[in-house]
Amino acid sequence: MIRRFRAGAVAALVVAAAACSSGSGDGGDGDSGGGAGGGDREPAAAETPGGNAAEAGPPFAVERRTVEMVDGSRPTDAYPPASVAARPDRTLEVHLVHPDEVEGPFPLLVWAHGWNGTNEAFLPFAERLARQGYAVALPEFPLSREGVANGDDVQNQPADMSFVIDEVLELGLADGEHVAVGGHSLGAATVFGVAFNTCCLDERIDAAIAVSGGGLVFEGGEYLEEDTVPLLLVHGVRDPGVPIGVGDATFENQPPPITYLRLNEADHVSVFEGANGAVFEQAMLAFLDAELRGDESGMAALPEVVADSGLAELRTK
């Protein structure tokens, strides 16, 4: 069954919020740009402890590489405000981060950055996941990336995510039976397109993570009302860019199963940082372990972990 009206209500909140988040400050990066998505200051690179490859299990050593992926079946529009010429293809720079010196393929997470953002900013985050045995792909989108900031190109980004899944599976790094997608802000909207909207639904996806964002209207598509993949929704109560009302409305309207981590003191970006980031990453790893590996132990412990942190509320349905 298809839900015909939910997306519009949530999308109106997201668009209104995004319009308020451009410029400097907690919700923006100082470049108002020309996009519809609002400025998404990316999380600061955090210091992370090193790990050594171990045959018995994590933490694993990590390999990083950068691959240019070219989808010749779809063009990229010109964007004159940023002096970007049209191209006959969609070219994406993709950072691939995965365990080193251990045998794959690994469960896959494809992660979408936000408006006026970069894939580079999420490398420390990806490395922590790779140490736990996941392959992570970080695409940088042609027109919503830093310095171009055309948020309207979000319409093309769900197909970019599917293309990256294709390419990573072709490389043999990841297990096509265990695939998740995630994203931040405009990247979260991208996730709603590829995981939940008939415009661009990729049925290989087993789990989805949306941080600081909600669904937008996608041309030619409608949101699924049931039989959807599990969703981990994360939002900061103090988010000035995409207000907490978007997260709350998404939780109320999104069909189950959904787990909602509502961080009481976090803003648009600090969901990734410090103590807030530690709670989020523990929730994310527990969620991925449950949905991609069938290990429910982390999710069973998560309510107590969140309550003990004093930083967040956990809602499920």
Side-chain angles (χ1 to χ4, degrees), residues 31-152:
D31 181 1
S32 60
D40 294 340
R41 178 171 58 89
E42 301 291 13
E47 291 294 326
T48 56
N52 296 316
E55 291 181 4
F60 302 113
V62 171
E63 180 179 339
R64 284 171 37 178
R65 68 176 102 166
T66 301
V67 179
E68 185 177 85
M69 297 182 180
V70 181
D71 183 354
S73 70
R74 298 180 299 130
T76 302
D77 293 337
Y79 189 58
S83 302
V84 174
R87 292 179 59 103
D89 56 52
R90 298 278 295 182
T91 297
L92 301 109
E93 177 194 82
V94 181
H95 294 317
L96 299 177
V97 188
H98 57 87
D100 190 19
E101 299 179 9
V102 288
E103 188 130 356
F106 310 101
L108 173 63
L109 173 65
V110 181
W111 186 268
H113 65 75
W115 176 80
N116 202 25
T118 70
N119 55 358
E120 191 85 16
F122 290 97
L123 277 170
F125 163 85
E127 288 176 353
R128 290 191 288 275
L129 279 174
R131 289 192 182 100
Q132 299 304 312
Y134 288 90
V136 185
L138 303 173
E140 191 160 275
F141 300 112
L143 296 182
S144 70
R145 62 182 170 85
E146 184 178 54
V148 181
N150 178 10
D152 293 340

Side-chain angles (χ1 to χ4, degrees), residues 150-174:
N150 178 10
D152 293 340
D153 195 52
V154 69
Q155 296 292 326
N156 297 302
Q157 291 181 181
D160 290 336
M161 298 284 276
S162 289
F163 175 67
V164 170
I165 293 172
D166 293 341
E167 295 294 292
V168 175
L169 296 182
E170 185 69 22
L171 290 170
L173 290 175

